[in-house]
Amino acid sequence: MKGTPMSRTIIVDRKNPSASDTNEATATAPFFTISRAAAIAQPGDTVLVKSGVYRERVAPARGGDSAKPKIGR
């Protein structure tokens, strides 16, 4: 029986002074843009977008699973 792939939480926080799209997308080293998170997210991953103004067009590279998207703050 195959195991399920490990999912992860990708953090985006443009207000964080250390935010960069070259970071590891963690709470202490978040991405700066939602687009970067969408580009690397895999089905089952959660993208957590912190509050702020994000003026960008987001086009996820792949779809998710059959579950509803997880929305959090």
Side-chain angles (χ1 to χ4, degrees):
M1 184 152 125
K2 292 183 180 181
T4 56
M6 297 297 291
S7 63
R8 63 184 167 165
T9 299
I10 300 166
I11 309 290
V12 181
D13 185 2
R14 82 179 298 124
K15 290 182 180 178
N16 185 314
S18 64
S20 171
D21 283 345
T22 59
N23 282 345
E24 295 180 10
T26 63
T28 56
F31 281 160
F32 187 74
T33 65
I34 301 168
S35 296
R36 176 66 178 133
I40 69 158
Q42 298 294 319
D45 287 348
T46 299
V47 176
L48 178 62
V49 180
K50 298 289 189 164
S51 66
V53 177
Y54 296 85
R55 290 190 171 101
E56 58 184 297
R57 180 181 179 278
V58 179
R62 59 200 63 67
D65 58 22
S66 60
K68 290 183 178 180
K70 299 173 187 171
I71 299 173
R73 292 180 185 188

